[in-house]
Amino acid sequence: MDYYSLKMRASQQIGEGDQKREQHISGAERIVSREAVEAVCSAMARRALTHSKGDPDFINIKIEKVCEKDIQILKALPVTRVDVDSWQQGLSKAFELIDQAAELKDFRKKLPDLLRETFPMRGAMLYDIATGERLEPDHNRGVRATYMDALRSSDVDSQKNHFNEAIVLATKVANAPGMVAELCISDDPEYVTGYVASKELGYVRIMKMKEVGGENGGRIFLFDSRKATAEECIEYLQKNKVLVDTQL
Ligand code: PML
């Protein structure tokens, strides 16, 4: 069976004159059967047109055929949930898990600064724990994981489901060559749950990682250049097609 990859991004021009810039409004991606293409495409357009961040001036929906033989099926990371009393406690728990995954003493001390650097970025930071260097080709843009969806997902929902999308993305990221762990805080002001994920830890949902109303969120991919090259890792994140089995 042939599949189709659908990617949507919507943005708005803000500012005047020299200060004019494009602001991201919403984005989504799916890999679906031919029969589902039209319905998913229209749900994506609805999502872009009804987003709380505003009315987009630009909506791009890209549709590409994907051969079944090129798709890798991955088992979703096992999910655990950590309840915390405050976002400070949530962040501290996340940093503790990252320390454990990176196997570096006191690495957590670096994390608040790294996290702050990700706030204006569209994609994730790719941080090499072996050298302390950032490896994204473009530091403002970051690296984005793409071409992924849940296996057997017939869902054509126009609303974002943070968890469903994040477990798919985190599973793909955890399987990338050289990946050590991922830390994620949503940039949606209403969404305070975040996660730490890796093949060893699984997907650890931390129920509070920022204040309600906070727009600052970001993603850090912690990578080890002793295990793979940055090119191999980025190629996997950006080019390999993955369907994640979330029902196992
Ligand atoms: C995002 O907004 O894209 C990040 C979503 C994080 C989801 C965390 C969860 O609910 O498990």
Side-chain angles (χ1 to χ4, degrees):
M1 178 164 94
D2 282 328
Y3 287 84
Y4 286 80
S5 149
L6 285 89
K7 293 182 186 174
M8 180 277 286
R9 65 192 168 89
S11 61
Q12 195 180 50
Q13 289 277 346
I14 57 167
E16 293 294 323
D18 286 354
Q19 305 296 317
K20 226 179 192 174
R21 65 181 177 89
E22 218 180 82
Q23 173 171 273
H24 174 75
I25 302 262
S26 96
E29 76 161 82
R30 302 288 309 273
I31 297 178
V32 299
S33 65
R34 185 187 181 93
E35 297 71 56
V37 169
E38 275 185 66
V40 169
C41 191
S42 107
M44 281 181 165
R46 200 169 335 119
R47 176 154 157 180
L49 290 165
T50 55
H51 202 279
S52 59
K53 273 192 180 166
D55 208 20
D57 318 304
F58 174 84
I59 303 172
N60 182 307
I61 299 181
K62 180 173 165 191
I63 306 175
E64 280 171 274
K65 193 170 187 174
V66 173
C67 291
E68 190 170 13
K69 66 171 177 43
D70 294 332
I71 300 178
Q72 179 186 16
I73 311 283
L74 293 174
K75 184 175 162 182
L77 295 174
V79 179
T80 50
R81 172 186 167 125
V82 177
D83 288 293
V84 286
D85 294 328
S86 63
W87 63 267
Q88 291 91 337
Q89 202 183 12
L91 265 189
S92 173
K93 179 68 196 171
F95 293 169
E96 184 187 313
L97 288 167
I98 293 285
D99 255 0
Q100 191 183 321
E103 295 176 338
L104 286 176
K105 196 168 166 347
D106 287 339
F107 182 60
R108 61 180 300 161
K109 289 189 182 147
K110 289 204 170 93
L111 284 167
D113 284 340
L114 292 181
L115 206 46
R116 247 186 304 278
E117 285 178 50
T118 67
F119 294 159
M121 292 166 62
R122 285 276 317 280
M125 175 186 290
L126 185 65
Y127 182 85
D128 184 0
I129 62 163
T131 62
E133 273 175 55
R134 288 181 56 176
L135 301 174
E136 321 89 78
D138 175 343
H139 282 205
N140 296 321
R141 188 170 174 274
V143 171
R144 293 176 70 79
T146 177
Y147 290 115
M148 67 219 154
D149 201 348
L151 182 69
R152 293 186 287 268
S153 163
S154 54
D155 193 359
V156 287
D157 198 351
S158 59
Q159 297 301 312
K160 181 175 169 98
N161 181 316
H162 292 81
F163 169 71
N164 288 353
E165 292 181 18
I167 182 73
V168 167
L169 184 144
T171 300
K172 180 172 185 193
V173 170
N175 282 277
M179 193 58 69
V180 173
E182 178 190 355
L183 168 67
C184 169
I185 301 180
S186 177
D187 59 2
D188 178 340
E190 302 308 316
Y191 204 81
V192 298
T193 301
Y195 67 87
V196 172
S198 76
K199 269 197 192 163
E200 286 71 28
L201 295 167
Y203 180 98
V204 186
R205 296 187 81 189
I206 303 176
M207 300 316 286
K208 228 179 274 168
M209 280 180 74
K210 65 172 191 185
E211 276 177 293
V212 177
E215 285 180 4
N216 287 333
R219 272 197 164 89
I220 305 177
F221 298 156
L222 293 161
F223 164 82
D224 187 343
S225 59
R226 292 164 295 198
K227 296 184 176 159
T229 66
E231 291 73 26
E232 283 169 324
C233 179
I234 294 173
E235 165 98 9
Y236 182 89
L237 293 171
Q238 296 185 340
K239 303 262 171 68
N240 283 34
K241 281 88 185 169
V242 163
L243 285 174
V244 176
D245 195 342
T246 52
Q247 289 172 4
L248 291 171

